[in-house]
Amino acid sequence: MAGKSNKGRNRKGAHGATTKSSGQLVSSDAPANNKSTLELANGVQAVSETTDARPVVMEAEAENSANKPKQGDTNLYPVSVRTQSGEKLELQLNPGDSVMDVRQFLLDAPETCFFTCYDLLLQTKDGSTHHLEDYNEISEVADITTGGCSLEMVAALYDDRSVRAHVHRTKDLLSLSTLHASLSTSLALQYDLSQSKASSSADTVKTDVLELDGLGFMEDVSGSLGKLLSPSTQEIKCVESIVFSSFNPPPSYRRLVGDLIYLDVVTLEGNKYCITGTTKVFYVNSSTGNVLDPRPSKATSEATTLIGLLQKISPKFKKAFREILERKASAHPFENVQSLLPPNSWLGLYPVPDHKHDAARAEDALTLSYGSELIGMQRDWNEELQSCQEFPHTNPQERVLRDRALYKVTSDFVDAAVSGAVGVISRCIPPINPTDPECFHMYVHNNIFFSFAVDADLEQLSRKHPSATNLHVEGIGTSTNSSEKLSNDVVPGDGAIYKGESTGEPNGVVELAQVSSETQLAESEQATYASANNDLKGTKAFQEADVPGLYNLAMAIIDYRGHRVVAQSVLPGILQGDKSDSLLYGSVDNGKKISWNEDFHSKVLEAAKHLHLKEHTVLDGSGNVFKLAAPVECKGIVGSDDRHYLLDLMRVTPRDANCSGPGSRFCILRPELITAFCQAEAGKSKSMAKSEVKADGTSDSIEVADAEEPDKIKEEKNETVQECASTPIESSESCEEIQFNPNVLTEFKLAGNQEEIAADEESVRKVSSYLANIVLPKFIQDLCALEASPMDGQTLTEALHAHGINIRYIGRVADGTKHVPHLWDLCSNEIVVRSTKHIIKNVLRDVEDHDLGPAIAHFFNCFFGSCQTVGGKVAANGIQFRTQKKDQASHHSSGKPSKSQARWKSKVSLREHHLSYMNISSETLWSELKEFAKLKYQFELPGDARLRVKKVSVIRNLCQKVGISIAARKYDFNAAAPFQTSDILNLQPVVKHSVPVCSEAKNLVEMGKAQLSEGLLSEAYTLFSEAFSILQQVTGPMHREVANCCRYLAMVLYHAGDMAGAIMQQHKELIINERCMGLDHPDTAHSYGNMALFYHGLDQTELALRHMSRALLLLSLSSGPDHPDVAATFINVAMMYQDIGKMDMALRYLQEALKKNERLLGEEHIQTAVCYHALAIAFNCMGAFKLSHQHEKKTYDILVKQLGEEDSRTKDSQNWMKTFKMREHQMNVQKQKGQALNAASTQKAIDILKANPDLMHAFQSVAAAGGSAGSSASVNSSLNAAVLGETIPRGRGFDERAARAAAEVRKKATAKGLLIRPHGLPAQALPPLTQLLNIINSGITSEANGSGATDVPKKEANGDPSNDPSAAADAKKDKSSSSSEQGQLPAGLGKGLTSLDSKKKKTKAKLTS
């Protein structure tokens, strides 16, 4: 952040060094985008302030400010500011801050937020005054480090543009719609309020802790849809209306005296005013009725801002505006920040809120122009992007500035591209080639080039062959590319560059005997979509390689209403078409003619090294030989700006040799797989490299690098593949010699000798078999062992991609997880959703605007209900029906296209459109789905798939993928037609983009994880804070990576025993996840779960339980009730109830968790053992030692079977059994002595069991329960990863490493004594079970000798351990012991040390194997 007001800083002590580390303001081009420092100016009450005093965060914070690494050098100096209204503020500025940063801060400070048009003057100590230009850095103008500097805001003159911006800003300030309050914040505020009330009334009676309806969520998931959304913020009304007056524009004679704008304002008092905005001031004029009277009204004065004037004329406005500022100030600062690319919401409020009269909203809607500004010059996206690319990046500060500029431009581009694409698909933007067939139309709007991802070859093909049987299919098309299409269509005379007539590239002639036209069309659509995706991935890969002098276009893919639009920045000179020699590299006609240029080739070769692409030779159509280091069909073009652009990067990774047949051309391997394979190979060869280096001093430098880093590779090999993928550039040094030829296994002719070609093919086959035979089985094994635990379709896709597995292999994953019900459900549901997505896109594409709502509702009813076809003529098969129509369209386009034949306007098609969606019935839809799943994913959907899909999870997933919003009400999925047209609320575009990430921060996070794994908490804290600070500057707070940093910071603080600090960081992560990932994303659910555990650590159990309730609701929506993570959360909830003595609730939750695990994982799975152990501990707390012993015996039996008797966990369980036995024996001894004080507690346990017959029944069956063998050998791999308390799914790339790292930390931190909380209570980070047993046993022995031994169990049983310190301690021990066995810690924080040792053994075993 650029500045901080001292006033705010004093109030905001709780933010400590963390605020300081975020001392740089985020990008400031758009005022609303980054509200950075409201928290400082207003002394926001953050959640952490719910604790009276925050414990000091170890020495790390002091060290942090003292020895800051150079990246975040944020030494701040005080500078006073004199505002336009004469007030004084003080900012803390860094000499590196730009003037834009200062403006951004002033825009966020409540005292100056409504000033938009002013100049800044800097007065230095020596009396000189400097006028500051917006793009200056302060250090360029004056040295503020000497002190004595002050800034003055001087009113500047308004012009047409700035006066409109001022009015717009004023309207924004008067609305609370920019405030996104998190449920967590309001829960904390409510809790604070209830606590303060209780303390003020001196009421010592403990309020009843709420009973969660968490179990209810699981039983009625559809009914809980309405609970996800909180009603929108209640607006505070300041003024009835502010609209542009119909007197606008000012008449010419008034323009000459400075009138710019007229506004009509109605105040809350009911008075109507006409306000004149001039170049200097705003004032109320004397107009009444229909005639303009520009003279100032006598009654009121003028003001330089609109808000200043309104405060003078309306007392109610003044009061309400103060309330708005206070409301914004009381929110968490992150709730005020705008998210650049927020996720689509799939649920809308129900009942639908009233649509109210709002003239200002209407004005905005009618004046918007699909993403381009009305006043001023259009942005030249390409020039902006490439200029930012050319920024210097030699030192950390320069790199941060460059990353920030690139992030800002790319995000703005994506935003504008989405608006433009919606305009294109809604037919509001005219094409630049209107005479061509509609599917080839191209559009340029707002300096962005738009084209449909269509398949040109199939259009031509069906023109030539009306009978679609026995054909040669030539080619699956690619997305239209700007350069290629424009040169053909806009500049017909310029045939020198591009000879291809079609946008598609032939795929070699594949003989298809008797293949139905439906199949081809389905495949062709798949391939065009795939090629656009691959192009985006390729562009991203070359951007990350970052080779000086090689440029790519900005690119985004927008899916809306069934169409896929590719948006690209316009290549310079392409619209003029006067450069016949601009193609320097690659081919436009599939290798018939290949261009080549030495300079261009050297740059491509440099990038190819980073991407593991091999330099190789190919032949063109005439037999000439060319050396390429990229796919043949890429195009290297020199733009009119003399930059070298590389386009059409559909194949920057090799073909997947496992796929063959038609449509497999774009089946390429994922970059993550290539990186992982290279690292695995490098790992194999490192011992060889080492010996070679010893033998021969002149060995190749690559091999030396290889030998120097054996540990790194060893470690990396065991991590999730995402870790490998995230650092391709570093890792490539150790495996650069492994390179692939991208043109093997394609139709292109390769030159060179046969051995070399065969070797290239072999290397590609090798990596393909590595995917099929090593990566896939390992991933399936990880899933079954719960090492990776995806919750929904999105997290499953991310986990697959992180491991380098393409989604087309999901059928194989489903087949491999058949024996684990929740995993099979997850995979099969994802296959169903993806297949449905392609069918519903066809429907949406063919539907008229007025039929969209009914069509979607009918489709959903066919999918979830049992709908028959509506209408007379029933097509046997929906796909076939649409295919015939497509054929007709393509026949039309072969002749001269006329308007009447256009896709949307054809009269014939009106009738067909109506039929096309009404002719779908449940039967035809599901038979199509099964066909598609078989064709695309090689997966046989079972006959009862319709009944087996998880309705809510599937509708959520489908809506998110297609961009549909439905009403958040309870749906009866058993009805024939659960959906009505009124339930479909919105259809939004779904975007794929390549917004860059900050490599600087990524590296710091990696280093932080390494320090964390060493147990160096201070160093880890410094690195994570540093990464947080840099990301704040680059992306602003609203970014997934920032949330990641906050989670790691919370983890470190948690380990250091600073619960309040951990809560503060966790709260930030929670808000960012809600805003960037979605309200019901699994990450958000886990954020709530972690918050609950942290609050529980501060003994705020009621607040913790409320967060747990929300976590359960979110989990029920994303994964459904049947998931091990839900059972995990149940165990955590039970622990909380147990700690506050509500044993009946604790037992209910534990019993539910046990049932779930037995059903999902089997009766002899380690997770089931965890549940039995938790129950044993619960009964121990109740003094029912006999039941404890029985349950622990069950635990022991499972562990013996799964892990063997020698495993440390099995021994721990054995020790617990002895303890329970001993306690039972002692209790009997006490009874014999006549001191049977425990009868009451045992009676209580019996009463609870009687009150819950299902519990009773389950416990009676414990002894008899046999059960099948557990889930195969994979289970043995680790209790640790399987332990349920770890609440974040581990398949998300970073989490597996985090868990491992954190477990290591705990070991070392325990040794250093860091895990004790300031108040002397043990932190929730717990010692090993064996140590606890010793403590407990020694405690018992001494108790047995003493007199008051029996008090402990009795008091525990009565649910009030707090009366007696020894009882409390014992309860704590029980809690901690059970927690360490269950991983009762927040995700990624590791478990007890015994588990850690086994984990280490397991890792070593893996390495040796």
Side-chain angles (χ1 to χ4, degrees), residues 149-191:
C149 293
S150 64
L151 282 169
E152 187 176 358
M153 297 167 71
V154 179
L157 297 178
Y158 290 105
D159 56 23
D160 272 325
R161 183 170 183 161
S162 58
V163 81
R164 285 181 190 223
H166 181 80
V167 173
H168 197 75
R169 170 70 180 161
T170 301
K171 288 178 182 174
D172 278 351
L173 282 173
L174 301 184
S175 164
L176 285 173
S177 61
T178 53
L179 186 66
H180 302 269
S182 164
L183 178 73
S184 177
T185 317
S186 51
L187 286 177
L189 290 170
Q190 284 168 16
Y191 180 79

Short mmCIF file of all heavy atoms in Angstrom, two decimals, residues 149-191:
data_model
loop_
_atom_site.label_atom_id
_atom_site.label_comp_id
_atom_site.label_asym_id
_atom_site.label_seq_id
_atom_site.Cartn_x
_atom_site.Cartn_y
_atom_site.Cartn_z
N CYS A 149 8.75 16.99 4.28
CA CYS A 149 8.04 17.17 3.02
C CYS A 149 6.53 17.19 3.26
O CYS A 149 6.04 16.52 4.17
CB CYS A 149 8.35 16.02 2.05
SG CYS A 149 10.05 16.02 1.52
N SER A 150 5.81 17.94 2.44
CA SER A 150 4.35 17.93 2.56
C SER A 150 3.73 17.98 1.18
O SER A 150 4.33 18.48 0.22
CB SER A 150 3.86 19.11 3.40
OG SER A 150 4.17 20.30 2.72
N LEU A 151 2.53 17.41 1.07
CA LEU A 151 1.79 17.41 -0.19
C LEU A 151 0.58 18.31 -0.05
O LEU A 151 -0.02 18.39 1.03
CB LEU A 151 1.30 16.00 -0.51
CG LEU A 151 2.31 15.00 -1.07
CD1 LEU A 151 1.71 13.60 -1.07
CD2 LEU A 151 2.71 15.37 -2.49
N GLU A 152 0.21 18.96 -1.14
CA GLU A 152 -1.02 19.77 -1.10
C GLU A 152 -1.89 19.37 -2.28
O GLU A 152 -1.40 19.21 -3.41
CB GLU A 152 -0.68 21.26 -1.19
CG GLU A 152 -1.91 22.11 -0.98
CD GLU A 152 -1.60 23.62 -0.97
OE1 GLU A 152 -0.42 23.99 -1.09
OE2 GLU A 152 -2.56 24.39 -0.84
N MET A 153 -3.18 19.15 -2.00
CA MET A 153 -4.13 18.87 -3.07
C MET A 153 -4.72 20.20 -3.53
O MET A 153 -5.34 20.91 -2.75
CB MET A 153 -5.27 17.97 -2.56
CG MET A 153 -4.83 16.60 -2.10
SD MET A 153 -6.12 15.73 -1.17
CE MET A 153 -7.31 15.36 -2.45
N VAL A 154 -4.51 20.51 -4.81
CA VAL A 154 -5.00 21.79 -5.35
C VAL A 154 -6.07 21.47 -6.39
O VAL A 154 -5.82 20.68 -7.31
CB VAL A 154 -3.85 22.58 -6.01
CG1 VAL A 154 -4.36 23.89 -6.57
CG2 VAL A 154 -2.74 22.82 -5.01
N ALA A 155 -7.23 22.08 -6.24
CA ALA A 155 -8.33 21.79 -7.15
C ALA A 155 -7.90 22.06 -8.59
O ALA A 155 -7.33 23.12 -8.89
CB ALA A 155 -9.54 22.63 -6.80
N ALA A 156 -8.14 21.09 -9.48
CA ALA A 156 -7.85 21.29 -10.90
C ALA A 156 -9.17 21.55 -11.62
O ALA A 156 -10.25 21.38 -11.05
CB ALA A 156 -7.18 20.04 -11.46
N LEU A 157 -9.10 21.99 -12.88
CA LEU A 157 -10.31 22.27 -13.63
C LEU A 157 -10.92 20.96 -14.15
O LEU A 157 -10.20 20.07 -14.60
CB LEU A 157 -9.99 23.19 -14.80
CG LEU A 157 -9.47 24.59 -14.41
CD1 LEU A 157 -9.13 25.39 -15.65
CD2 LEU A 157 -10.50 25.34 -13.56
N TYR A 158 -12.25 20.88 -14.09
CA TYR A 158 -12.94 19.74 -14.69
C TYR A 158 -12.99 19.91 -16.21
O TYR A 158 -12.98 21.05 -16.72
CB TYR A 158 -14.39 19.65 -14.17
CG TYR A 158 -14.52 19.26 -12.71
CD1 TYR A 158 -14.85 20.19 -11.73
CD2 TYR A 158 -14.36 17.93 -12.33
CE1 TYR A 158 -15.00 19.82 -10.40
CE2 TYR A 158 -14.51 17.55 -10.99
CZ TYR A 158 -14.82 18.50 -10.04
OH TYR A 158 -14.97 18.14 -8.72
N ASP A 159 -13.07 18.80 -16.92
CA ASP A 159 -13.43 18.85 -18.34
C ASP A 159 -14.54 17.81 -18.55
O ASP A 159 -14.99 17.18 -17.59
CB ASP A 159 -12.21 18.55 -19.23
CG ASP A 159 -11.57 17.22 -18.89
OD1 ASP A 159 -12.26 16.35 -18.33
OD2 ASP A 159 -10.37 17.05 -19.17
N ASP A 160 -14.97 17.62 -19.79
CA ASP A 160 -16.11 16.71 -20.04
C ASP A 160 -15.90 15.34 -19.44
O ASP A 160 -16.79 14.76 -18.83
CB ASP A 160 -16.32 16.56 -21.56
CG ASP A 160 -17.24 17.64 -22.08
OD1 ASP A 160 -18.15 18.02 -21.34
OD2 ASP A 160 -17.03 18.12 -23.21
N ARG A 161 -14.71 14.83 -19.62
CA ARG A 161 -14.46 13.46 -19.18
C ARG A 161 -14.37 13.39 -17.65
O ARG A 161 -14.97 12.53 -17.01
CB ARG A 161 -13.16 12.97 -19.81
CG ARG A 161 -12.88 11.54 -19.46
CD ARG A 161 -11.74 10.96 -20.26
NE ARG A 161 -11.58 9.55 -19.92
CZ ARG A 161 -10.95 8.68 -20.67
NH1 ARG A 161 -10.44 9.05 -21.80
NH2 ARG A 161 -10.84 7.43 -20.28
N SER A 162 -13.61 14.31 -17.05
CA SER A 162 -13.39 14.22 -15.60
C SER A 162 -14.66 14.54 -14.82
O SER A 162 -14.86 14.04 -13.73
CB SER A 162 -12.23 15.12 -15.16
OG SER A 162 -12.49 16.45 -15.52
N VAL A 163 -15.54 15.38 -15.39
CA VAL A 163 -16.77 15.69 -14.64
C VAL A 163 -17.69 14.47 -14.63
O VAL A 163 -18.34 14.17 -13.63
CB VAL A 163 -17.47 16.96 -15.19
CG1 VAL A 163 -18.31 16.67 -16.42
CG2 VAL A 163 -18.35 17.59 -14.10
N ARG A 164 -17.73 13.74 -15.74
CA ARG A 164 -18.53 12.51 -15.76
C ARG A 164 -17.95 11.48 -14.80
O ARG A 164 -18.67 10.78 -14.09
CB ARG A 164 -18.57 11.91 -17.16
CG ARG A 164 -19.47 12.67 -18.10
CD ARG A 164 -19.48 12.00 -19.46
NE ARG A 164 -20.16 12.85 -20.42
CZ ARG A 164 -21.01 12.39 -21.32
NH1 ARG A 164 -21.28 11.10 -21.37
NH2 ARG A 164 -21.59 13.19 -22.17
N ALA A 165 -16.61 11.36 -14.80
CA ALA A 165 -15.96 10.42 -13.89
C ALA A 165 -16.28 10.79 -12.45
O ALA A 165 -16.49 9.91 -11.59
CB ALA A 165 -14.45 10.43 -14.12
N HIS A 166 -16.35 12.10 -12.17
CA HIS A 166 -16.64 12.56 -10.81
C HIS A 166 -18.06 12.16 -10.41
O HIS A 166 -18.28 11.67 -9.29
CB HIS A 166 -16.47 14.09 -10.73
CG HIS A 166 -16.73 14.65 -9.36
ND1 HIS A 166 -15.78 14.61 -8.37
CD2 HIS A 166 -17.83 15.21 -8.80
CE1 HIS A 166 -16.29 15.13 -7.26
NE2 HIS A 166 -17.53 15.51 -7.50
N VAL A 167 -19.01 12.33 -11.31
CA VAL A 167 -20.40 11.97 -11.00
C VAL A 167 -20.49 10.46 -10.77
O VAL A 167 -21.17 9.99 -9.84
CB VAL A 167 -21.35 12.43 -12.13
CG1 VAL A 167 -22.76 11.91 -11.89
CG2 VAL A 167 -21.35 13.95 -12.23
N HIS A 168 -19.79 9.72 -11.62
CA HIS A 168 -19.81 8.26 -11.51
C HIS A 168 -19.23 7.81 -10.16
O HIS A 168 -19.78 6.96 -9.48
CB HIS A 168 -18.98 7.68 -12.65
CG HIS A 168 -19.25 6.23 -12.89
ND1 HIS A 168 -20.39 5.77 -13.50
CD2 HIS A 168 -18.54 5.11 -12.56
CE1 HIS A 168 -20.38 4.45 -13.55
NE2 HIS A 168 -19.27 4.02 -12.98
N ARG A 169 -18.12 8.43 -9.77
CA ARG A 169 -17.47 8.12 -8.49
C ARG A 169 -18.41 8.45 -7.33
O ARG A 169 -18.50 7.68 -6.35
CB ARG A 169 -16.17 8.93 -8.39
CG ARG A 169 -15.48 8.92 -7.04
CD ARG A 169 -14.88 7.58 -6.72
NE ARG A 169 -14.22 7.56 -5.43
CZ ARG A 169 -13.93 6.45 -4.76
NH1 ARG A 169 -14.25 5.28 -5.26
NH2 ARG A 169 -13.33 6.50 -3.59
N THR A 170 -19.11 9.56 -7.45
CA THR A 170 -20.04 9.97 -6.39
C THR A 170 -21.13 8.92 -6.21
O THR A 170 -21.44 8.50 -5.09
CB THR A 170 -20.67 11.34 -6.74
OG1 THR A 170 -19.62 12.29 -6.88
CG2 THR A 170 -21.63 11.80 -5.66
N LYS A 171 -21.67 8.45 -7.34
CA LYS A 171 -22.73 7.42 -7.24
C LYS A 171 -22.18 6.14 -6.60
O LYS A 171 -22.87 5.50 -5.80
CB LYS A 171 -23.28 7.11 -8.63
CG LYS A 171 -24.15 8.23 -9.21
CD LYS A 171 -24.60 7.84 -10.61
CE LYS A 171 -25.43 8.95 -11.25
NZ LYS A 171 -25.74 8.65 -12.66
N ASP A 172 -20.94 5.79 -6.95
CA ASP A 172 -20.33 4.60 -6.34
C ASP A 172 -20.21 4.75 -4.83
O ASP A 172 -20.47 3.82 -4.07
CB ASP A 172 -18.91 4.37 -6.92
CG ASP A 172 -18.97 3.66 -8.26
OD1 ASP A 172 -20.06 3.21 -8.63
OD2 ASP A 172 -17.92 3.58 -8.93
N LEU A 173 -19.78 5.94 -4.40
CA LEU A 173 -19.58 6.17 -2.96
C LEU A 173 -20.89 6.09 -2.19
O LEU A 173 -20.91 5.74 -1.02
CB LEU A 173 -18.94 7.54 -2.72
CG LEU A 173 -17.44 7.66 -2.99
CD1 LEU A 173 -17.00 9.12 -2.89
CD2 LEU A 173 -16.64 6.82 -2.01
N LEU A 174 -21.99 6.43 -2.86
CA LEU A 174 -23.28 6.47 -2.16
C LEU A 174 -23.94 5.09 -2.12
O LEU A 174 -25.04 4.93 -1.61
CB LEU A 174 -24.23 7.47 -2.83
CG LEU A 174 -23.72 8.91 -2.87
CD1 LEU A 174 -24.77 9.83 -3.46
CD2 LEU A 174 -23.33 9.40 -1.47
N SER A 175 -23.27 4.07 -2.69
CA SER A 175 -23.87 2.74 -2.72
C SER A 175 -23.02 1.78 -1.89
O SER A 175 -21.80 1.91 -1.83
CB SER A 175 -23.93 2.25 -4.16
OG SER A 175 -24.15 0.86 -4.19
N LEU A 176 -23.70 0.81 -1.28
CA LEU A 176 -22.95 -0.21 -0.53
C LEU A 176 -22.78 -1.48 -1.37
O LEU A 176 -22.33 -2.50 -0.87
CB LEU A 176 -23.71 -0.57 0.76
CG LEU A 176 -23.63 0.47 1.88
CD1 LEU A 176 -24.54 0.09 3.02
CD2 LEU A 176 -22.21 0.63 2.39
N SER A 177 -23.13 -1.40 -2.67
CA SER A 177 -23.08 -2.61 -3.49
C SER A 177 -21.63 -3.09 -3.68
O SER A 177 -21.40 -4.24 -4.02
CB SER A 177 -23.72 -2.36 -4.85
OG SER A 177 -23.01 -1.33 -5.51
N THR A 178 -20.66 -2.18 -3.47
CA THR A 178 -19.26 -2.60 -3.64
C THR A 178 -18.74 -3.32 -2.40
O THR A 178 -17.63 -3.81 -2.39
CB THR A 178 -18.35 -1.38 -3.90
OG1 THR A 178 -18.58 -0.42 -2.86
CG2 THR A 178 -18.66 -0.75 -5.24
N LEU A 179 -19.57 -3.35 -1.34
CA LEU A 179 -19.13 -3.99 -0.10
C LEU A 179 -19.59 -5.44 -0.09
O LEU A 179 -20.78 -5.72 -0.18
CB LEU A 179 -19.76 -3.24 1.09
CG LEU A 179 -19.30 -3.67 2.47
CD1 LEU A 179 -17.84 -3.34 2.67
CD2 LEU A 179 -20.13 -2.97 3.54
N HIS A 180 -18.67 -6.37 -0.04
CA HIS A 180 -19.03 -7.80 -0.09
C HIS A 180 -18.78 -8.39 1.30
O HIS A 180 -17.69 -8.88 1.58
CB HIS A 180 -18.20 -8.52 -1.13
CG HIS A 180 -18.35 -7.93 -2.49
ND1 HIS A 180 -19.31 -8.36 -3.39
CD2 HIS A 180 -17.69 -6.92 -3.11
CE1 HIS A 180 -19.22 -7.64 -4.49
NE2 HIS A 180 -18.25 -6.77 -4.35
N ALA A 181 -19.79 -8.32 2.15
CA ALA A 181 -19.59 -8.75 3.54
C ALA A 181 -19.53 -10.27 3.59
O ALA A 181 -20.35 -10.96 3.01
CB ALA A 181 -20.71 -8.23 4.41
N SER A 182 -18.54 -10.78 4.32
CA SER A 182 -18.41 -12.23 4.48
C SER A 182 -19.21 -12.66 5.69
O SER A 182 -19.31 -11.94 6.68
CB SER A 182 -16.94 -12.57 4.69
OG SER A 182 -16.81 -13.87 5.21
N LEU A 183 -19.78 -13.85 5.61
CA LEU A 183 -20.56 -14.37 6.73
C LEU A 183 -19.68 -14.49 7.97
O LEU A 183 -20.11 -14.23 9.09
CB LEU A 183 -21.13 -15.74 6.37
CG LEU A 183 -21.92 -16.40 7.49
CD1 LEU A 183 -23.27 -15.73 7.67
CD2 LEU A 183 -22.12 -17.89 7.25
N SER A 184 -18.41 -14.83 7.76
CA SER A 184 -17.50 -15.00 8.88
C SER A 184 -17.36 -13.71 9.69
O SER A 184 -17.36 -13.71 10.92
CB SER A 184 -16.13 -15.45 8.36
OG SER A 184 -15.22 -15.56 9.42
N THR A 185 -17.28 -12.58 8.95
CA THR A 185 -17.15 -11.29 9.64
C THR A 185 -18.38 -11.03 10.49
O THR A 185 -18.27 -10.63 11.64
CB THR A 185 -16.99 -10.15 8.60
OG1 THR A 185 -16.08 -10.58 7.60
CG2 THR A 185 -16.49 -8.89 9.24
N SER A 186 -19.57 -11.26 9.90
CA SER A 186 -20.78 -10.95 10.66
C SER A 186 -20.95 -11.90 11.85
O SER A 186 -21.43 -11.50 12.90
CB SER A 186 -22.02 -10.98 9.75
OG SER A 186 -22.05 -12.17 9.01
N LEU A 187 -20.52 -13.17 11.68
CA LEU A 187 -20.58 -14.10 12.82
C LEU A 187 -19.72 -13.59 13.97
O LEU A 187 -20.12 -13.60 15.13
CB LEU A 187 -20.09 -15.49 12.40
CG LEU A 187 -21.01 -16.32 11.52
CD1 LEU A 187 -20.33 -17.63 11.14
CD2 LEU A 187 -22.32 -16.62 12.23
N ALA A 188 -18.51 -13.12 13.63
CA ALA A 188 -17.59 -12.62 14.67
C ALA A 188 -18.17 -11.39 15.34
O ALA A 188 -18.09 -11.24 16.57
CB ALA A 188 -16.23 -12.32 14.05
N LEU A 189 -18.79 -10.50 14.54
CA LEU A 189 -19.37 -9.28 15.12
C LEU A 189 -20.53 -9.63 16.05
O LEU A 189 -20.66 -9.06 17.14
CB LEU A 189 -19.83 -8.33 14.01
CG LEU A 189 -18.69 -7.67 13.21
CD1 LEU A 189 -19.24 -6.93 11.99
CD2 LEU A 189 -17.89 -6.71 14.08
N GLN A 190 -21.38 -10.58 15.61
CA GLN A 190 -22.50 -11.01 16.47
C GLN A 190 -21.98 -11.59 17.78
O GLN A 190 -22.50 -11.30 18.86
CB GLN A 190 -23.34 -12.08 15.76
CG GLN A 190 -24.24 -11.56 14.68
CD GLN A 190 -24.80 -12.71 13.83
OE1 GLN A 190 -24.76 -13.86 14.23
NE2 GLN A 190 -25.32 -12.36 12.66
N TYR A 191 -20.94 -12.40 17.66
CA TYR A 191 -20.37 -13.04 18.85
C TYR A 191 -19.83 -11.98 19.80
O TYR A 191 -20.08 -12.01 21.01
CB TYR A 191 -19.26 -14.00 18.42
CG TYR A 191 -18.60 -14.73 19.57
CD1 TYR A 191 -19.21 -15.83 20.17
CD2 TYR A 191 -17.35 -14.31 20.05
CE1 TYR A 191 -18.60 -16.49 21.23
CE2 TYR A 191 -16.74 -14.97 21.11
CZ TYR A 191 -17.37 -16.06 21.70
OH TYR A 191 -16.77 -16.73 22.74
#
